[in-house]
């Protein structure tokens, strides 16, 4: 436990990028195209001072100290030419480097069988052939061996020699000069060689169709165009790389971005949970890391349910719900989001199943949502139990819209089972984000949600900043207007006649 505390402290305080990757993994949030070699190298540098044996977790595997040191050696062996350090304009030819690797001469007729037997000893590096022609003997082939699996004396171990004996192969290992080019280096290897030593290397990005979306740090900005081009080169299908240059702080939730490399085409197509979306990435909000959350909410729905999507964007909640045969009302204030929402409804053949609106969120709630809720609640009975859901995915502000539901509907309160369920998103920097979000929701609703709500960690947005979702049925005492009670009739004293009886007695 103490060991992990030390690791966490190092990663968070000294290497922020690595820390975010670690925390992202621990919270099981979505992160695409992320690699970890820098984390291990930093750990090695620290724990070389720590005696004994320890374990380090990488994704779902465990590595011993010797294996981590081997990874460090791998980084050193497969490094580009040192002269590329500080390069800001990509020169692919400058990355050429020759390394020495062990080889084994083998008759070509036994190559396939031998490779299966020596699969843990041969060179497994992506982009490099394990078998090459022998320029001196056309009947033989040269098998490239992993330098880390061969002893310093260039001799094979006993088990490998036994295998070679079975195939009547000379166990003599020779040296071979292998030329590595830019194409043979991985993204992080290229960037590690270019950026100043000691600085963290960001090779992670979010992919939206043909676009790679990066969030570069200040120290990486002098190399931004090179980084963008490397991302394109190393990832098939990526033809454009962009960097966000401001935070999402405007009315429409989109952000300014700069094209780093490639084509400047921002209209892209992407698939999420088996549904296709098209949009202009520069004018709408889209976050691929919310794919799991979109699917989680849709799992709550069943055919016949009603979904009100207050901040619908281009439709990642609305369209899957319509595909599930729900009745959907979708709204977004951004005209561009509304345009692409309509487009995606047609693209996915649900345009007849979704009613779309281009309104302010409050106006949407007070207008179409109130009208439809009134209608639905009047039809709902114990026999007809389709549920009503209101999704409010605007984490920066959505929680402030909850006051709209105070005394929202006329009429008598309905059964608790029929009350609409709200799924409201919010950011939190609190030490206890679940408690923080619940308390803020209660403040806007004017009632306690204790025992009546659930909170879900959606993802870690930044160090000490979480995106949360609070789900609850709107309490009846909040949702329905309070009507003043009629004054109770004056109680009669014992043996006192009523006015009618009094009148009768006088007539008598």
């Amino acid at each position: 436990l103490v060991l992990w505390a030390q690791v966490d402290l190092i990663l968070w305080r000294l290497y922020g990028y690595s820390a975010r990757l670690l925390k992202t993994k621990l919270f099981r949030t979505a992160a695409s195209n992320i690699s970890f070699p820098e984390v291990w190298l930093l750990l090695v540098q620290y724990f070389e001072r720590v005696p004994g044996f320890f374990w380090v977790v990488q994704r779902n595997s465990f590595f011993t100290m010797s294996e981590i040191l081997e990874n460090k050696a791998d980084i050193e062996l497969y490094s580009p030419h040192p002269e590329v350090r500080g390069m800001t304009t990509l020169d692919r030819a400058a990355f050429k480097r020759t390394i020495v690797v062990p080889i084994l001469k083998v008759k070509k007729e036994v190559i396939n069988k031998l490779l299966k037997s020596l699969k843990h000893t041969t060179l497994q590096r992506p982009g490099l052939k394990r078998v090459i022609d022998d320029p001196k003997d056309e009947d033989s082939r040269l098998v490239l061996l992993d330098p880390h699996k061969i002893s310093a004396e260039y001799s094979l171990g006993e088990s490998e020699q036994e295998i070679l004996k079975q195939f009547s192969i000379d166990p003599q290992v020779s040296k071979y000069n292998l030329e590595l080019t830019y194409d043979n280096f991985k993204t992080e290897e290229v960037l590690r060689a270019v950026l100043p030593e000691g600085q963290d290397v960001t090779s992670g990005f979010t992919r939206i169709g043909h676009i790679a979306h990066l969030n570069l740090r200040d120290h990486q900005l002098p190399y931004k165009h090179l980084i963008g081009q490397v991302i394109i080169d190393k990832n098939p299908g990526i033809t454009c790389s962009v960097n966000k240059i401001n935070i999402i702080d405007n009315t429409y939730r989109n952000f300014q971005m700069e094209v780093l490399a490639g084509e400047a085409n921002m209209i892209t197509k992407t698939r999420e949970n088996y549904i296709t979306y098209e949009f202009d990435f520069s004018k709408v909000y889209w976050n691929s890391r919310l794919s799991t959350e979109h699917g989680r909410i849709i799992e709550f729905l069943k055919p016949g349910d009603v979904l009100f999507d207050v901040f619908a964007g281009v439709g990642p909640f609305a369209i899957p719900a319509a595909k599930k045969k729900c009745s959907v009302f979708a709204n977004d204030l951004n005209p561009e989001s509304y345009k692409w929402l309509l487009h995606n409804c047609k693209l996915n053949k649900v345009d007849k199943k979704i009613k779309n609106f281009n309104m302010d969120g409050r106006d949407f709630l007070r207008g179409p949502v109130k009208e439809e809720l009134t209608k639905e609640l009047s039809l709902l009975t114990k026999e007809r139990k389709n549920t009503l859901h209101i999704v409010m995915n605007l984490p920066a502000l959505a929680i402030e819209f909850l006051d709209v539901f105070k005394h929202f509907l006329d009429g008598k309160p309905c059964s608790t089972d029929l009350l609409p369920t709200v799924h409201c998103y919010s950011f939190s920097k609190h030490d206890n984000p679940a408690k923080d979000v619940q308390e803020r929701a209660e403040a806007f609703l004017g009632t306690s949600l204790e025992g009546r709500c659930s909170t879900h960690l959606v993802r870690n947005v930044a160090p000490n900043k979480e995106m949360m979702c609070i789900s609850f049925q709107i309490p009846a005492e909040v949702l329905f207007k309070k009507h003043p009670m009629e004054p109770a009739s004056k109680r009669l004293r014992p043996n006192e006649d009523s006015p009618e009886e009094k009148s009768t007695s006088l007539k008598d």
Side-chain angles (χ1 to χ4, degrees):
L1 185 60
V2 173
L3 178 62
W4 276 111
Q6 290 175 315
V7 174
D8 189 60
L9 184 63
I10 296 167
L11 293 174
W12 275 94
R13 293 188 177 178
L14 301 180
Y15 303 97
Y17 168 65
S18 300
R20 287 205 300 276
L21 296 183
L22 182 60
K23 191 170 184 183
T24 295
K25 190 62 186 176
L26 290 176
F27 277 108
R28 299 181 183 275
T29 57
S32 58
N33 302 293
I34 299 297
S35 57
F36 288 76
E38 280 295 308
V39 179
W40 312 133
L41 184 55
L42 297 174
L43 289 173
V44 168
Q45 292 170 350
Y46 178 75
F47 283 109
E48 279 174 341
R49 302 193 300 272
V50 179
F53 176 90
F54 69 93
W55 297 92
V56 175
V57 180
Q58 182 193 38
R59 292 194 172 101
N60 297 318
S61 303
F62 290 90
F63 293 86
T64 64
M65 171 62 93
S66 62
E67 290 170 318
I68 294 173
L69 291 172
E70 181 179 300
N71 188 37
K72 180 182 178 182
D74 189 67
I75 290 172
E76 294 172 349
L77 178 64
Y78 299 113
S79 295
H81 198 287
E83 290 184 2
V84 303
R85 179 79 64 194
M87 179 187 293
T88 56
T89 300
L90 183 61
D91 178 7
R92 296 175 181 84
F95 285 80
K96 285 185 179 180
R97 181 190 173 190
T98 300
I99 63 172
V100 178
V101 297
I103 59 168
L104 195 64
K105 185 173 181 178
V106 179
K107 291 295 182 181
K108 63 180 182 180
E109 58 265 19
V110 298
I111 280 290
N112 293 333
K113 293 180 180 180
L114 179 67
L115 290 178
K116 291 180 181 179
S117 301
L118 291 181
K119 60 182 179 180
H120 298 299
T121 308
T122 56
L123 190 63
Q124 299 289 339
R125 185 173 174 79
L128 290 177
K129 294 181 179 180
R130 290 181 293 168
V131 180
I132 58 176
D133 292 335
D134 184 349
K136 300 179 180 179
D137 185 357
E138 61 179 17
D139 294 327
S140 297
R141 297 291 184 268
L142 301 178
V143 178
L144 304 183
L145 304 177
D146 188 339
H148 304 125
K149 304 292 176 63
I150 305 300
S151 68
E153 293 79 21
Y154 267 56
S155 61
L156 292 166
E158 292 183 8
S159 60
E160 287 82 7
Q161 290 194 35
E162 186 62 33
I163 293 171
L164 297 182
K165 187 176 180 181
Q166 294 175 12
F167 291 100
S168 302
I169 297 173
D170 185 353
Q172 181 180 356
V173 176
S174 304
K175 296 180 180 180
Y176 179 77
N177 291 329
L178 177 65
E179 183 181 78
L180 300 177
T181 67
Y182 171 79
D183 293 335
N184 300 130
F185 296 111
K186 302 174 185 177
T187 303
E188 55 267 27
E189 291 169 341
V190 171
L191 300 184
R192 190 187 307 112
V194 170
L195 268 63
E197 287 188 85
Q199 293 188 356
D200 61 307
V201 175
T202 299
S203 58
F205 60 89
T206 301
R207 180 169 184 164
I208 311 97
H210 68 281
I211 301 170
H213 173 214
L214 294 84
N215 288 324
L216 297 180
R217 296 187 170 195
D218 290 342
H219 73 269
Q220 297 164 338
L221 294 179
Y223 310 91
K224 60 186 179 181
H225 296 296
L226 181 144
I227 294 173
Q229 187 58 57
V230 172
I231 294 295
I232 291 175
D233 290 345
K234 301 298 181 180
N235 296 275
I238 297 289
T239 59
C240 171
S241 58
V242 300
N243 183 44
K244 183 172 73 173
I245 58 177
N246 72 340
I247 61 173
I248 302 174
D249 60 356
N250 60 26
T251 304
Y252 296 150
R253 290 197 299 166
N254 56 353
F255 47 78
Q256 291 183 324
M257 60 182 70
E258 176 187 16
V259 177
L260 302 177
E263 59 178 327
N265 176 21
M266 292 292 105
I267 297 178
T268 188
K269 176 188 289 189
T270 189
R271 283 182 65 81
E272 178 184 278
N273 300 327
Y274 307 104
I275 292 176
T276 301
Y277 300 91
E278 293 179 351
F279 47 84
D280 186 334
F281 185 54
S282 66
K283 295 181 179 179
V284 305
Y285 177 78
W286 178 269
N287 191 335
S288 300
R289 291 187 173 94
L290 295 178
S291 171
T292 301
E293 180 61 16
H294 296 151
R296 186 182 73 90
I297 295 298
I298 298 303
E299 282 294 314
F300 292 138
L301 307 176
K302 62 182 184 297
D305 286 351
V306 182
L307 175 71
F308 302 98
D309 194 349
V310 185
F311 312 105
V314 299
F317 286 115
I319 293 173
K323 285 280 191 182
K324 208 170 181 179
K325 298 183 179 179
C326 295
S327 178
V328 180
F329 296 75
N331 172 73
D332 203 278
L333 178 62
N334 182 354
E336 281 291 324
S337 294
Y338 176 70
K339 180 183 86 172
W340 289 104
L341 173 61
L342 295 176
H343 173 83
N344 288 319
C345 287
K346 290 182 179 179
L347 181 66
N348 291 282
K349 300 179 181 179
V350 292
D351 49 308
K352 306 298 182 184
K353 301 177 182 179
I354 301 179
K355 293 183 180 179
N356 296 300
F357 301 86
N358 180 207
M359 307 170 67
D360 176 77
R362 288 183 180 272
D363 295 336
F364 176 63
L365 288 168
R366 290 170 176 157
V369 174
K370 181 177 181 179
E371 179 182 342
E372 190 64 24
L373 275 181
T374 302
K375 173 184 171 184
E376 288 289 335
L377 289 176
S378 68
L379 297 174
L380 291 174
T381 65
K382 290 184 178 180
E383 288 74 32
R384 183 190 173 197
K385 286 190 176 180
N386 55 304
T387 56
L388 309 172
H389 294 261
I390 303 172
V391 173
M392 305 174 69
N393 183 20
L394 183 64
L397 294 172
I399 211 162
E400 298 177 14
F401 284 68
L402 294 179
D403 62 354
V404 172
F405 296 118
K406 293 168 73 173
H407 314 312
F408 192 51
L409 300 179
D410 294 309
K412 294 181 180 180
C414 63
S415 167
T416 303
D417 294 341
L418 306 179
L419 292 169
T421 299
V422 171
H423 308 280
C424 183
Y425 293 84
S426 181
F427 294 129
S428 177
K429 294 184 178 180
H430 198 273
D431 290 339
N432 188 339
K435 180 181 179 183
D436 171 51
V437 170
Q438 179 179 328
E439 289 179 348
R440 288 192 285 127
E442 291 172 338
F444 283 100
L445 289 169
T447 192
S448 172
L449 293 175
E450 191 65 34
R452 299 192 284 185
C453 70
S454 64
T455 52
H456 173 74
L457 174 64
V458 178
R459 71 186 190 98
N460 172 244
V461 179
N464 303 315
K465 184 178 181 180
E466 317 296 348
M467 179 177 175
M468 307 294 294
C469 177
I470 182 169
S471 298
F472 58 90
Q473 284 186 293
I474 306 175
E477 68 269 21
V478 174
L479 187 63
F480 291 93
K481 291 181 179 178
K482 296 179 180 178
H483 295 284
M485 295 181 65
E486 295 181 5
S489 59
K490 182 181 177 181
R491 290 185 177 181
L492 297 175
R493 293 176 183 173
N495 301 321
E496 183 178 348
D497 294 334
S498 67
E500 292 79 4
E501 292 172 332
K502 229 179 233 185
S503 174
T504 304
S505 64
L506 286 174
K507 286 179 182 179
D508 292 343

